[in-house]
């Protein structure tokens, strides 16, 4: 390694430390009574009543989060997805070497994408720079000071996504309760009756009904009284069952999708935070399926089957590109009196999430909400002109939230780069000044090698005596 500061040297990592294999611990024993931390490849996974290591320990992710670094200052139990270092020759500072291994993390991440885990042989072959022991301690002190400030900044930044999530939910709650447009109603001269709107939709559907079963369905539908108290809503608003405002609730295609094809098939994973996420797509080239399940701009998609906490996710398709939808989604087809953008807002409120929790049926790790139950959702319904104003105001506020989120992501990326930059400077010898009075690292390395030989001979002697 050329260009090292005066007094530094280098050596293969395997000549300094032994990367020991973690020891398996049954899942049901990871929370036994005790105080010994149990580490997996990505950090703490439980506690136990006994330890594998007895002192400061560096834990390195071997499988899963390959190369992830954790440091335990107390006795701990690294499990079998990890390597660990618990012997530090000649009082090499564990924290220094934990910092150094963290600086290698990015390279290990890149390599671990092509192999199932982190190879000990590859790690052992890495040439590492060694500063004098006294300088290692100065570097540790400086890193602790600088990185504590970075960590404090990171902790403050991490509050922003939580704040933004609460802000968006507060906006949705205000929008779908009428509070957001209270001032607008004071200036509006709309005298539109919700009861008259619902009655008009019913008469139109009744006129279009052909079969007796269709007419019977409509008669029963209009007779169902909503359970929520509309007096809680602003004047001119009313709770209305969704099935009174929508023509159909369609299930998507059950055909097997392909990695490539003519049009994307939107699945439950493509519904994120009220929007369509166009990543991780699958496709269909079946012309009949494409014709049958083609989406029109302004279509609301409801995730009818998912884990209990995610069932009911909703997003709106705005025609970004031609697409169809999969069978775990329901396509909601509202009449013109219900703005699909407003419907999407309502279905993303906490009020809607609470509805989903009450009507879902649970299976093994999956919950389901069928079209009939979705139709009983009581939407806070208001005149179409106010729906449009609500959508406009929410979009303005969400644009503001999106801008803040973009700045947060940029700042977070800067913080991560700053951490790597500080570590890189430390291990190039640029973070603290060199002291010509320090013992050269070459002499330290010679003593480490001699110490290794002494310990190896001691172990051999014990084996022979047995």
């Amino acid at each position: 390694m050329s260009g090292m500061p005066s007094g530094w040297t280098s050596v293969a990592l395997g000549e300094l430390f032994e990367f020991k294999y973690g020891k398996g611990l049954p899942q049901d024993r990871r929370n036994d009574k005790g105080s010994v931390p149990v580490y997996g490849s990505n950090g703490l996974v439980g506690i136990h009543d006994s330890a594998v290591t007895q002192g400061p320990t560096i834990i390195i992710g071997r499988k899963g989060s390959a190369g992830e670094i954790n440091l335990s200052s107390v006795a701990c139990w690294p499990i079998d997805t990890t390597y660990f270092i618990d012997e530090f020759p000649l009082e090499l500072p564990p924290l220094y070497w934990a910092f150094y291994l963290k600086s290698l993390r990015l390279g290990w991440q890149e390599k671990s994408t092509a192999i199932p885990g982190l190879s000990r042989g590859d790690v052992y072959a890495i040439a590492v720079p060694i500063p004098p022991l006294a300088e290692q301690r100065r570097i540790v002190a400086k890193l602790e000071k600088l990185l504590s400030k970075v960590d404090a900044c990171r902790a403050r930044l991490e509050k922003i996504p939580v704040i933004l999530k609460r802000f968006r939910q507060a906006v949705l709650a205000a929008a779908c309760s009428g509070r957001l447009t209270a001032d607008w109603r004071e200036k509006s001269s709309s005298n539109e009756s919700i009861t008259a709107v619902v009655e008009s939709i019913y008469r139109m559907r009744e006129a279009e009904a052909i079969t007796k079963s269709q007419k019977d369905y409509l008669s029963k539908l209009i007779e169902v009284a909503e359970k929520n108290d509309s007096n809680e809503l602003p004047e001119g608003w009313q709770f209305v069952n969704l099935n009174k405002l929508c023509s159909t609730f369609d299930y998507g295609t059950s055909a097997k999708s392909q990695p490539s094809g003519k049009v994307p098939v939107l699945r439950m994973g493509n519904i994120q935070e009220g929007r369509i996420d166009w990543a991780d797509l699958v496709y269909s080239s079946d012309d009949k399926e494409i014709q049958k399940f083609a989406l029109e701009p302004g279509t609301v998609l409801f995730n009818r089957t998912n884990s209990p906490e995610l069932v009911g996710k909703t997003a709106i398709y705005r025609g970004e590109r031609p697409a169809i939808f999969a069978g775990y989604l329901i396509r909601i087809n509202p009449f013109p009196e219900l703005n699909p953008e407003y419907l999407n807002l309502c279905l993303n409120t906490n009020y809607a999430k609470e509805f989903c929790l009450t009507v879902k049926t649970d299976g093994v790790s999956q919950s389901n909400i069928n079209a009939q139950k979705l139709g009983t959702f009581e939407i806070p319904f208001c005149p179409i002109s106010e729906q449009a104003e609500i959508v406009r105001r929410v979009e303005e506020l969400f644009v503001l939230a999106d801008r803040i989120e973009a700045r947060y992501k940029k700042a977070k990326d800067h913080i991560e780069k700053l951490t790597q930059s500080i570590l890189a400077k430390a291990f190039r010898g640029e973070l603290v000044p060199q002291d010509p009075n320090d013992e050269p690292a070459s002499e330290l390395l010679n003593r480490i090698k001699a110490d290794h030989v002494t310990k190896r001979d001691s172990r051999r002697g014990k084996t022979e005596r047995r």
Side-chain angles (χ1 to χ4, degrees):
M1 301 179 69
S2 60
M4 288 189 298
S6 176
W8 289 40
T9 189
S10 67
V11 69
L13 188 56
E15 293 187 40
L16 286 179
F17 305 111
E18 179 184 1
F19 277 50
K20 301 177 182 179
Y21 285 97
K23 183 179 179 181
L25 181 67
Q27 288 274 359
D28 59 358
R29 295 186 60 197
R30 289 188 189 175
N31 289 302
D32 287 355
K33 291 182 179 179
S35 59
V36 175
V38 177
Y39 281 90
S41 59
N42 198 30
L44 283 169
V45 295
I47 57 174
H48 195 47
D49 56 4
S50 60
V52 172
T53 72
Q54 297 304 315
T57 306
I58 298 175
I59 302 99
I60 306 101
R62 181 171 68 89
K63 292 181 179 179
S65 299
E68 186 73 36
I69 305 299
N70 287 279
L71 176 66
S72 175
S73 59
V74 298
C76 66
W77 186 308
I79 65 172
D80 53 354
T81 60
T82 69
Y83 298 120
F84 66 90
I85 302 171
D86 65 344
E87 295 184 33
F88 300 89
L90 302 184
E91 298 183 351
L92 289 179
L95 187 54
Y96 174 90
W97 291 98
F99 280 136
Y100 179 76
L101 294 176
K102 280 180 182 289
S103 74
L104 300 179
R105 171 75 167 108
L106 183 60
W108 285 346
Q109 275 184 314
E110 292 170 350
K111 190 159 191 176
S112 68
T113 59
I115 55 177
L118 187 63
S119 164
R120 189 165 66 164
D122 290 343
V123 174
Y124 279 174
I126 296 173
V128 299
I130 306 179
L133 186 58
E135 189 170 345
Q136 290 182 37
R137 293 170 179 150
R138 292 197 299 274
I139 290 173
V140 165
K142 187 69 172 180
L143 284 175
E144 284 190 294
K145 184 177 180 179
L146 292 176
L147 294 183
S148 66
K149 295 180 179 179
V150 173
D151 289 342
C153 184
R154 183 185 290 111
R156 288 193 293 270
L157 276 177
E158 289 307 319
K159 295 177 182 178
I160 293 177
V162 177
I163 294 171
L164 287 176
K165 184 175 182 179
R166 290 174 181 168
F167 171 76
R168 291 187 175 105
Q169 275 301 323
V171 169
L172 291 176
C176 299
S177 66
R179 298 194 306 274
L180 188 63
T181 43
D183 63 323
W184 181 89
R185 283 193 303 278
E186 291 177 359
K187 301 174 183 177
S188 173
S189 58
S190 174
N191 294 315
E192 187 176 11
S193 166
I194 295 301
T195 300
V197 171
V198 175
E199 180 69 19
S200 174
I201 293 173
Y202 169 71
R203 294 303 174 194
M204 179 269 296
R205 298 176 76 179
E206 185 182 43
E208 294 178 350
I210 299 173
T211 66
K212 183 178 183 300
S213 62
Q214 289 174 336
K215 293 179 180 180
D216 289 343
Y217 168 76
L218 289 173
S219 296
K220 292 178 181 178
L221 190 67
I222 200 67
E223 291 174 359
V224 175
E226 284 72 16
K227 298 177 181 178
N228 287 328
D229 185 0
S230 292
N231 291 323
E232 297 176 356
L233 297 174
E235 184 178 353
W237 286 50
Q238 190 173 313
F239 284 110
V240 180
N241 283 345
L242 196 57
N243 50 23
K244 295 179 182 178
L245 302 172
C246 299
S247 57
T248 55
F249 299 84
D250 299 330
Y251 294 159
T253 176
S254 58
K256 185 175 178 60
S257 303
Q258 305 297 327
S260 61
K262 289 183 178 180
V263 298
V265 182
L266 297 179
R267 301 173 293 168
M268 56 186 179
N270 298 115
I271 295 180
Q272 299 292 339
E273 305 296 335
R275 302 171 183 175
I276 302 294
D277 183 347
W278 294 94
D280 190 24
L281 294 171
V282 294
Y283 297 83
S284 173
S285 296
D286 187 321
D287 290 334
K288 291 183 178 179
E289 293 282 304
I290 293 172
Q291 182 178 6
K292 182 178 180 180
F293 299 105
L295 293 169
E296 295 292 333
T299 298
V300 176
L301 295 172
F302 179 88
N303 181 197
R304 68 183 179 94
T305 302
N306 208 321
S307 60
E309 66 276 9
L310 294 177
V311 67
K313 291 190 302 177
T314 307
I316 187 165
Y317 169 78
R318 298 187 174 93
E320 297 91 331
R321 56 189 293 190
I324 64 175
F325 64 111
Y328 285 150
L329 304 181
I330 296 176
R331 173 174 55 188
I332 307 174
N333 304 294
F335 289 110
E337 291 80 0
L338 176 57
N339 186 325
E341 294 281 357
Y342 175 71
L343 172 59
N344 184 50
L345 297 180
C346 289
L347 287 173
N348 276 283
T349 59
N350 284 331
Y351 161 66
K353 289 180 174 63
E354 290 169 3
F355 164 81
C356 291
L357 289 174
T358 62
V359 301
K360 67 182 176 66
T361 55
D362 294 322
V364 179
S365 75
Q366 293 282 294
S367 293
N368 183 72
I369 300 172
N370 61 30
Q372 289 72 31
K373 290 180 178 177
L374 175 58
T376 66
F377 173 69
E378 297 184 14
I379 185 170
F381 192 48
C382 60
I384 190 68
S385 56
E386 187 164 1
Q387 292 178 41
E389 179 63 16
I390 289 169
V391 169
R392 186 190 69 80
R393 293 189 179 197
V394 170
E395 286 178 349
E396 282 186 353
L397 292 169
F398 277 14
V399 165
L400 174 63
D402 290 344
R403 288 174 183 165
I404 295 172
E405 187 171 28
R407 293 176 65 181
Y408 152 75
K409 290 178 179 178
K410 186 175 181 179
K412 182 180 178 182
D413 184 58
H414 178 72
I415 286 293
E416 297 307 320
K417 289 179 179 178
L418 179 61
T419 298
Q420 288 299 321
S421 175
I422 291 171
L423 291 174
K425 288 187 68 173
F427 304 120
R428 289 196 305 263
E430 299 171 2
L431 195 63
V432 298
Q434 281 75 49
D435 186 339
N437 296 316
D438 287 342
E439 175 193 53
S442 56
E443 294 185 20
L444 170 65
L445 182 58
N446 288 335
R447 292 193 292 112
I448 289 173
K449 290 179 178 179
D451 183 64
H452 283 331
V453 170
T454 299
K455 290 180 178 177
R456 183 186 61 202
D457 290 345
S458 176
R459 286 194 291 267
R460 284 178 179 174
K462 291 180 180 178
T463 303
E464 291 172 358
R465 286 193 294 273
R466 290 175 185 169

